[in-house]
Amino acid sequence: MTYSAFSLLREALRNHTGWKPAWRSPKPRAEYDVIIIGGGGHGLATAYYLAKNHNVGRIAVLEKGWLGGGNTGRNTTVIRSNYFYPESVALYELSMKLYEGLSRDLNYNVMFSQRGMLILAHSQPEMEIAARTVNAMRLNGVDADLLGPEDVRKRAPVLNFRDDARYPIHGAVFQGRAGTGRHDAVAWGYARGADQRGVDIIQNCEVLDVIVEGGVCKGVETSKGTIRAGRIGAAVAGHSSALAQMAGVSLPIQSYALQAFVSEPLKPVIDTVAFSPSAGTYFSQSDKGGLVIGGGLDRVPSYGQRGNLPMQEAVLSGLIEMAPAVAKVKLLRHWAGIVDVTPDSSPVIGPSGVDGLFLNCGWGTGGFKAIPAGGYLFAHLLATGTHHAISRPFDLDRFRSGYLVDEGAASGIAH
């Protein structure tokens, strides 16, 4: 929906009381064709593509809180496809391409800014790995450049190029199509698009149990009553193992807090995303001027959406090593998302082992960047009962076969 200048002025003069909600708040029906548990980015994108691409009629998204209130609203909004293995590149490059057309597709500005991303190398051996990474990315059809120190300085002069730097910058891997998006806008855009196609988005509806009859998942018990469906899709990120346990499924997943920070607004100091694996920190600058800062996992399994002081110190000291000029900048806020990490740091897309229950989980630190692809592929699985070629390598059966897709380094998670 678009609004004229007159309608915008009219609503301003009547205290914005006439706006229509972007999506409905319906009461749940007793039965649907598909239920999607989780109203974050992946759940909403799945519902959107189910309705748009597969013409599935009766779809419900069940969210225990508010839309995008979990990891979708608790991340650093980086979007990239600079992974190493062909299976991962196919997945994240699909997401990148969908992001590139997403604002047009949804008729909703998701504020995808392709400002590029630097992954810094701090020694000659790291430069050799960087060259290997660039070659792998190019062979897999993804844009990548190997930069020397002067090229890095031109792109990000705020970084630490001092002679006494603890982590001297020897160069970087640069992906120019990478960037950042607006997390709320992604969730809202998919929610509005799904609602316009008849999807029931039901907030404040907590799933209390999974109904399994004769070995087949038939529905869910919720805080708003029993709801049945032919197929159930779970996209609940850090709580995936807890939900799967309701159906008697044990997942190879650990949940951890991943912290992030936003600083006070500054004048522009960096127009790309910079990541130092050695310092364990990455940062970018938002359109409002704040530095958006992230780092490694807090390696204490937890469902608490908060961090701890030692990890805060590690991330922020890494930032100061990367860019000493920002040492005295004040922080405005801090939060944590709960990420679900698999042994190979790659996601799980596929059947759960219980007929009728399907999983979209295990994204670890890569959930936001993968929202469009995760929804697109999960919708295909729920609609057809079979894998898309891109999702097939990420089935749970890889943990039995041993054919893992180990992306610990590319995901920023070191085992």
Side-chain angles (χ1 to χ4, degrees):
M1 182 181 294
T2 57
Y3 297 96
S4 66
F6 174 77
S7 64
L8 293 170
L9 177 61
R10 181 182 61 194
E11 287 305 321
L13 293 174
R14 62 184 186 185
N15 295 320
H16 300 282
T17 57
W19 297 117
K20 293 182 179 179
W23 52 84
R24 298 167 294 120
S25 296
K27 292 182 179 180
R29 305 180 198 177
E31 187 173 356
Y32 291 90
D33 295 322
V34 177
I35 291 172
I36 299 163
I37 307 170
H42 283 264
L44 293 167
T46 301
Y48 174 76
Y49 292 120
L50 269 172
K52 180 189 176 190
N53 296 348
H54 301 282
N55 298 314
V56 176
R58 299 181 303 161
I59 304 168
V61 175
L62 309 183
E63 169 55 46
K64 71 176 181 179
W66 67 93
L67 297 189
N71 283 1
T72 301
R74 292 172 174 269
N75 63 81
T76 50
T77 75
V78 177
I79 298 166
R80 58 187 176 90
S81 60
N82 49 0
Y83 282 71
F84 188 81
Y85 291 102
E87 298 89 345
S88 304
V89 172
L91 174 63
Y92 289 100
E93 183 63 10
L94 171 62
S95 208
M96 177 76 79
K97 289 177 178 177
L98 288 170
Y99 261 123
E100 287 174 327
L102 192 57
S103 293
R104 181 174 58 255
D105 183 26
L106 297 175
N107 190 27
Y108 196 97
N109 186 7
V110 301
M111 304 181 193
F112 181 29
S113 170
Q114 292 180 281
R115 57 190 65 187
M117 181 175 183
L118 295 163
I119 300 179
L120 303 176
H122 299 288
S123 66
Q124 192 55 42
E126 288 184 17
M127 281 296 289
E128 293 174 6
I129 295 298
R132 184 183 178 194
T133 301
V134 167
N135 289 338
M137 290 173 62
R138 289 182 172 180
L139 286 171
N140 290 325
V142 178
D143 62 305
D145 293 295
L146 184 65
L147 305 184
E150 289 307 312
D151 292 322
V152 176
R153 189 195 295 265
K154 289 176 183 177
R155 291 190 178 276
V158 73
L159 296 177
N160 189 355
F161 291 93
R162 298 188 318 203
D163 293 337
D164 62 347
R166 181 181 181 186
Y167 301 115
I169 296 174
H170 285 240
V173 176
F174 181 71
Q175 184 181 24
R177 290 168 56 239
T180 62
R182 174 69 181 176
H183 42 51
D184 293 334
V186 172
W188 297 340
Y190 273 123
R192 190 180 73 163
D195 177 84
Q196 290 173 345
R197 287 165 174 79
V199 175
D200 283 357
I201 299 173
I202 305 164
Q203 299 181 75
N204 301 307
C205 183
E206 182 178 2
V207 172
L208 305 174
D209 201 1
V210 175
I211 301 170
V212 179
E213 298 173 350
V216 179
C217 185
K218 296 290 189 178
V220 290
E221 299 287 355
T222 79
S223 56
K224 295 191 175 184
T226 301
I227 310 175
R228 291 180 171 266
R231 285 179 177 158
I232 312 292
V236 294
H239 291 84
S240 297
S241 53
L243 189 140
Q245 194 63 51
M246 296 178 185
V249 176
S250 179
L251 295 179
I253 283 176
Q254 284 278 15
S255 295
Y256 302 99
L258 181 65
Q259 300 186 68
F261 311 81
V262 173
S263 78
E264 63 184 326
L266 309 174
K267 291 184 177 180
V269 297
I270 187 168
D271 63 357
T272 189
V273 182
F275 172 40
S276 168
S278 296
T281 303
Y282 61 93
F283 75 106
S284 62
Q285 189 167 17
S286 75
D287 295 337
K288 293 190 291 186
L291 299 180
V292 183
I293 307 152
L297 298 176
D298 182 349
R299 283 292 185 178
V300 178
S302 172
Y303 290 113
Q305 291 179 318
R306 57 190 180 277
N308 64 32
L309 289 173
M311 199 64 214
Q312 293 169 26
E313 183 179 19
V315 173
L316 296 174
S317 63
L319 173 67
I320 295 170
E321 291 286 351
M322 290 180 69
V326 305
K328 294 186 178 180
V329 172
K330 297 178 181 178
L331 292 179
L332 283 187
R333 60 188 182 276
H334 153 252
W335 67 90
I338 306 307
V339 296
D340 44 336
V341 181
T342 62
D344 61 354
S345 300
S346 287
V348 172
I349 307 173
S352 68
V354 174
D355 287 349
L357 178 62
F358 299 83
L359 303 172
N360 172 334
C361 60
W363 292 98
T365 62
F368 179 76
K369 68 178 69 72
I371 283 173
Y376 184 96
L377 297 171
F378 201 36
H380 182 279
L381 180 66
L382 288 169
T384 67
T386 60
H387 272 291
H388 188 286
I390 292 176
S391 68
R392 182 65 190 85
F394 301 99
D395 193 280
L396 265 176
D397 64 9
R398 74 181 188 271
F399 297 109
R400 291 186 290 271
S401 68
Y403 193 82
L404 304 183
V405 188
D406 190 352
E407 289 287 6
S411 67
I413 301 173
H415 290 298

